[in-house]
Amino acid sequence: MMKKVISVIALLTFLMTNKIYGQIPHLAGKIIISIKSGTIDAELNLRNLPKTDNYTIWLNSGLNIEYFRDGNNQFNYSYNTEYNTELSSEALQHYFPSNDRKSRFLPNSLIVKYTGKFPVIADTTKAYDWGDWKGNIAFNGQTLRASEQSAWYPIIYNKTDGIVIDKYTFDIELECSDCQTLYINGDKPQKAYKSNFKSVQAVPLLMFVGNYNFKEVDNIFILNSELDANKINTLTKTTNSIIKFYEEVLKTPYGKPVVYISSTPVSKKNEWMFVTYPTITVVGIDKYKLDNYFDDKTYQFKQKSNITFIAHELAHYYIGTKFVPNSELRWFFLEGLTDYLSIKAAKKILGIEIYQTIINNYINELKDFEPQQLNLIKLASEINDTYRYRFTPLFLLAIEQEIGEDKMYQWIESVINGESVKTNYDFFLSSLRDTGVTEKQIKLIIETYIDNLKSKENIINRIK
Ligand SMILES: [Zn+2]
């Protein structure tokens, strides 16, 4: 009897862990785009869906659903829709109610057909100052840029565990008759208006199609840029040296060749970089355009800070793609730890003076900031931008002073290669312990930098 109980528990544990992480969904089908009309038409077959009855299927709010059908194309599923902007402001969130309407079910495979028409903002004179972001479906007359955050393809959200499943293997037929070049993240760009895109490794899907050229140098692709060979040389050398640094200290390979996309905003003022591994997209005009990052005489970066930004985006492979933080300390890990790594890369590649300048700038920006104690954080949103991008990296540098650089890298290596768990405060401490940080050191870290009204001052004094 006892044996039976144990095997039932083992089976349940197996089912519960495999329910979420066990299988990777696969996306197949056809997508038709027009960059002149701003349209997306898709009929996609989604297979290997997770076994869950507590979920939603996200699709961008500008996409109109013609039908959800069973995977064998025999009948339609009726669906209900929610819109929880805390989870995604971009996507409407659909689900299939069970017959009694009391619960919901998710089949193992389904077909979804949808169509959407979006503004084509070729001229930004009437555009908003701010109104472009990673989750935007951006048609600018020449290209379409759509990342996984826009939910241009169906994304599964597991409500029980709060896990977004947006990384798929895929085999997609892409057609855009007014495009010259097509690209879906995970495969190589192609000079064609119609082509097949595949990935056997699960990646988040970023689509970038339109009238543009691309180059390949040193295993790096550069899309929609007119950079000359000398400037490209600077970009690829810098990129590869940052990757080499991360691979060495974290003892974890980067995996795929990096792709750069140069893109313009469909607003007047937005300029930023984002990553959808392994692609880094630089969105901006004038001095914020990738092509204008480099000096015409020396071919070097005009602003050293752009190297640090690239280092930050590259570090998101390890934190954000490989290791996906969640729970209360989501932003602490996702942006804070990523930024810590980028500062370390900057120190290695740009030298101690630039490193010191970065640190001093961060310290200045914390002048009026009063951090909530890490152990008291209850909501992910309590960790605001300053906390994420300024306070946390310095906090981690102070910990580094206590435990040493080697231990610090060992800790990050174990975190990024560990199992999917809730990344809360308990995890933060237990992961340090698992790396071999002593109880004495942990006590000191807590008493000096966490559970202390002068934690900010203590951090600054320690790293100055
Ligand atoms: Zn980031």
Side-chain angles (χ1 to χ4, degrees):
M1 186 63 193
M2 194 62 194
K3 213 171 187 184
K4 203 169 181 185
V5 171
I6 291 169
S7 63
V8 167
I9 289 169
L11 178 68
L12 278 177
T13 314
F14 173 79
L15 287 175
M16 279 162 73
T17 43
N18 276 271
K19 173 183 76 179
I20 325 157
Y21 313 108
Q23 47 189 2
I24 295 163
H26 180 80
L27 195 63
K30 182 160 187 175
I31 297 166
I32 301 170
I33 308 285
S34 166
I35 54 162
K36 294 283 174 261
S37 315
T39 52
I40 298 176
D41 290 277
E43 181 158 18
L44 298 169
N45 192 326
L46 200 48
R47 292 198 300 268
N48 279 344
L49 293 171
K51 288 181 181 62
T52 172
D53 54 10
N54 192 21
Y55 73 96
T56 45
I57 303 169
W58 298 358
L59 268 180
N60 187 279
S61 57
L63 296 169
N64 305 293
I65 294 163
E66 187 174 327
Y67 53 69
F68 280 109
R69 269 173 93 71
D70 77 293
N72 295 322
N73 218 350
Q74 301 293 311
F75 56 87
N76 288 356
Y77 290 118
S78 60
Y79 63 95
N80 289 346
T81 302
E82 303 173 340
Y83 183 47
N84 180 346
T85 55
E86 279 283 313
L87 295 173
S88 167
S89 60
E90 290 89 354
L92 294 177
Q93 298 139 29
H94 313 285
Y95 63 93
F96 309 135
S98 59
N99 285 337
D100 62 7
R101 306 256 141 195
K102 283 181 183 147
S103 56
R104 46 188 82 182
F105 71 95
L106 184 64
N108 179 257
S109 67
L110 62 90
I111 295 169
V112 58
K113 188 174 183 197
Y114 53 88
T115 186
K117 190 172 191 320
F118 298 85
V120 178
I121 305 176
D123 171 4
T124 55
T125 49
K126 286 185 186 170
Y128 288 100
D129 281 356
W130 306 99
D132 202 353
W133 72 105
K134 185 182 177 184
N136 193 20
I137 292 184
F139 284 95
N140 69 2
Q142 287 302 319
T143 57
L144 157 65
R145 156 175 44 87
S147 80
E148 75 284 10
Q149 191 181 317
S150 74
W152 66 268
Y153 61 98
I155 284 165
I156 309 294
Y157 177 68
N158 187 314
K159 290 182 102 168
T160 307
D161 304 279
I163 289 173
V164 177
I165 302 166
D166 59 4
K167 298 188 195 90
Y168 300 153
T169 59
F170 61 85
D171 184 351
I172 290 168
E173 196 185 334
L174 184 57
E175 185 180 328
C176 171
S177 55
D178 46 18
C179 293
Q180 292 164 358
T181 306
L182 306 175
Y183 173 64
I184 294 180
N185 199 50
D187 204 345
K188 290 179 177 175
Q190 295 181 41
K191 265 265 176 247
Y193 75 90
K194 193 176 174 180
S195 194
N196 230 70
F197 287 83
K198 282 181 191 165
S199 179
V200 291
Q201 185 188 339
V203 291
L205 276 68
L206 164 71
M207 175 162 56
F208 186 70
V209 300
N211 293 317
Y212 64 85
N213 292 312
F214 65 89
K215 290 178 184 131
E216 185 190 359
V217 179
D218 282 346
N219 212 20
I220 292 176
F221 286 91
I222 302 158
L223 279 54
N224 197 26
S225 151
E226 300 302 325
L227 283 175
D228 66 30
N230 291 312
K231 292 174 180 176
I232 286 181
N233 187 41
T234 302
L235 179 63
T236 55
K237 275 214 164 72
T238 307
T239 305
N240 285 329
S241 64
I242 296 168
I243 289 175
K244 190 164 165 267
F245 170 73
Y246 289 148
E247 288 183 328
E248 275 171 15
V249 298
L250 302 177
K251 300 188 177 65
T252 308
Y254 196 79
K256 278 186 175 269
V258 174
V259 177
Y260 281 96
I261 293 176
S262 172
S263 172
T264 59
V266 291
S267 64
K268 285 201 183 79
K269 293 186 176 169
N270 287 103
E271 47 84 13
W272 83 105
M273 271 184 212
F274 70 83
V275 68
T276 298
Y277 172 79
T279 303
I280 293 177
T281 305
V282 180
V283 187
I285 52 166
D286 303 331
K287 69 173 179 173
Y288 300 113
K289 198 175 157 75
L290 178 67
D291 287 14
N292 298 325
Y293 275 18
F294 306 91
D295 187 273
D296 286 329
K297 290 197 184 73
T298 66
Y299 314 121
Q300 296 304 306
F301 278 88
K302 287 186 221 164
Q303 307 272 346
K304 296 281 183 261
S305 56
N306 282 329
I307 297 177
T308 318
F309 295 149
I310 288 173
H312 177 103
E313 299 305 337
L314 290 169
H316 271 310
Y317 164 60
Y318 296 102
I319 302 142
T321 307
K322 212 171 155 30
F323 159 64
V324 185
N326 55 58
S327 320
E328 302 93 275
L329 297 196
R330 176 173 180 222
W331 296 111
F332 169 84
F333 286 104
L334 187 59
E335 294 303 343
L337 186 55
T338 300
D339 208 72
Y340 165 82
L341 279 175
S342 74
I343 295 173
K344 299 298 287 181
K347 188 179 182 182
K348 168 84 178 175
I349 286 149
L350 301 170
I352 188 81
E353 272 175 47
I354 300 268
Y355 168 79
Q356 210 54 60
T357 312
I358 297 170
I359 304 287
N360 290 338
N361 288 341
Y362 280 26
I363 291 174
N364 282 337
E365 287 184 48
L366 288 178
K367 214 171 278 168
D368 303 314
F369 180 68
E370 286 172 31
Q372 168 65 295
Q373 287 182 210
L374 200 64
N375 57 331
L376 299 180
I377 284 172
K378 294 277 173 288
L379 289 171
S381 55
E382 286 178 68
I383 299 185
N384 66 8
D385 277 359
T386 310
Y387 206 121
R388 290 170 204 183
Y389 295 100
R390 298 295 176 257
F391 180 73
T392 306
L394 299 190
F395 169 79
L396 293 168
L397 283 169
I399 292 185
E400 180 197 302
Q401 291 295 315
E402 302 301 341
I403 67 174
E405 199 178 51
D406 287 350
K407 261 277 164 302
M408 203 64 189
Y409 289 139
Q410 270 176 39
W411 171 62
I412 301 171
E413 185 195 336
S414 73
V415 165
I416 60 174
N417 290 302
E419 296 283 311
S420 296
V421 286
K422 277 209 189 305
T423 57
N424 52 20
Y425 182 69
D426 285 347
F427 167 75
F428 171 63
L429 292 186
S430 66
S431 58
L432 284 173
R433 283 191 184 104
D434 291 348
T435 312
V437 177
T438 64
E439 284 308 317
K440 200 179 153 199
Q441 287 170 322
I442 286 182
K443 188 166 179 276
L444 184 136
I445 288 166
I446 294 173
E447 287 175 358
T448 320
Y449 307 117
I450 297 171
D451 194 5
N452 188 315
L453 292 172
K454 291 253 172 268
S455 63
K456 185 178 85 178
E457 289 73 15
N458 293 340
I459 288 164
I460 292 171
N461 288 333
R462 192 69 170 95
I463 60 173
K464 251 186 173 167

